Amino acid sequence: MNVKRLFGALSVNICILLVIGGGIMFSAGGDFIVSFKPAVSFEEMFNGAEVKAGSHVAGEVVYSLGYYAAESTYTQRSDGSRSGDKANGRYYLIPIAEGENYIGLKAREVDVSAMEKVTKETEEWILGGAEPSTKIVMQGTVEVMEGQLADFYKESLMGLGYSRSDIDDMGEPLVVQYRSFTAVRVMFGVGLGLVLLGVFFIYRGYKRG
């Protein structure tokens, strides 16, 4: 291979293609891999199935004990002022391992209404009522909770009567972050396509050079 010809085949536009395509693949790569892992359902988790960071979760949410944190976004204007907060979903406390442990669930704002219904029905079920009947399907990637979010999660558990020692014994706090795996695969495919297009242009320029 003639290295001089290879570098001669490169151009600014080709480098941009490779950088953008590679960046998209890198950002979507983790969830792209997760999307092909066998999914664990919320029902299976409640019945004792274990998950860890990087696990794929999908299915109907069975029970919810309410939200422990809310997320919002705002726009910072050029003059230094900012817009009002816009609700961007909530983090719910989901019982697993037959109620002996818990996991967080990030619900999109569009799913909050249904999650609130599941929470109310779960509370009624605990008091002797019927099983929750609201159907809401969620999917996502399991991640480790950190920082203030983990603090809110632990405070929520303490509100249920658990001690700090009990919470530590439950292991590292995990959360199911919602993902549209179809969108993830499309994004990864777009990134791969841009990289392959860049490689094609390099190959063509190399042959011509």
Side-chain angles (χ1 to χ4, degrees):
M1 177 182 290
N2 190 313
V3 177
K4 186 176 181 180
R5 283 177 60 189
L6 179 62
F7 279 101
L10 289 171
S11 69
V12 173
N13 289 337
I14 291 176
C15 289
I16 291 174
L17 273 179
L18 293 174
V19 170
I20 293 176
I24 292 174
M25 289 178 66
F26 179 79
S27 64
D31 289 327
F32 179 76
I33 294 172
V34 171
S35 73
F36 289 99
K37 293 181 179 180
V40 180
S41 71
F42 290 93
E43 183 175 5
E44 288 171 334
M45 284 195 292
F46 185 78
N47 290 330
E50 295 184 0
V51 293
K52 59 184 179 180
S55 292
H56 178 186
V57 172
E60 290 185 1
V61 178
V62 184
Y63 307 113
S64 167
L65 297 181
Y67 72 95
Y68 58 91
E71 187 175 82
S72 61
T73 57
Y74 64 87
T75 301
Q76 189 76 37
R77 302 188 181 95
S78 58
D79 61 3
S81 63
R82 50 169 282 184
S83 65
D85 290 343
K86 179 181 179 181
N88 194 35
R90 294 177 179 178
Y91 289 87
Y92 285 85
L93 188 64
I94 307 299
I96 60 175
E98 298 185 345
E100 297 298 321
N101 208 333
Y102 302 87
I103 192 169
L105 170 63
K106 169 61 189 306
R108 301 171 299 172
E109 187 62 27
V110 68
D111 296 319
V112 165
S113 177
M115 285 301 301
E116 288 298 305
K117 290 180 180 178
V118 173
T119 298
K120 182 178 180 181
E121 292 170 0
T122 300
E123 293 171 351
E124 293 172 349
W125 170 68
I126 291 173
L127 295 174
E131 288 266 350
S133 59
T134 297
K135 305 295 183 183
I136 175 170
V137 176
M138 301 285 281
Q139 61 177 346
T141 300
V142 177
E143 298 178 357
V144 176
M145 267 187 281
E146 298 177 339
Q148 194 174 43
L149 183 61
D151 292 338
F152 290 151
Y153 168 83
K154 292 176 182 179
E155 288 174 6
S156 179
L157 291 178
M158 291 176 69
L160 294 177
Y162 292 98
S163 67
R164 292 188 182 276
S165 177
D166 293 333
I167 296 171
D168 290 340
D169 290 341
M170 292 178 185
E172 60 183 0
L174 301 174
V175 59
V176 180
Q177 292 281 4
Y178 177 86
R179 293 288 189 272
S180 170
F181 288 115
T182 298
V184 166
R185 292 177 182 179
V186 170
M187 282 182 59
F188 189 87
V190 169
L192 179 61
L194 291 176
V195 169
L196 292 177
L197 186 61
V199 171
F200 168 76
F201 284 135
I202 292 173
Y203 176 78
R204 187 177 66 174
Y206 179 83
K207 288 296 185 181
R208 288 179 176 179

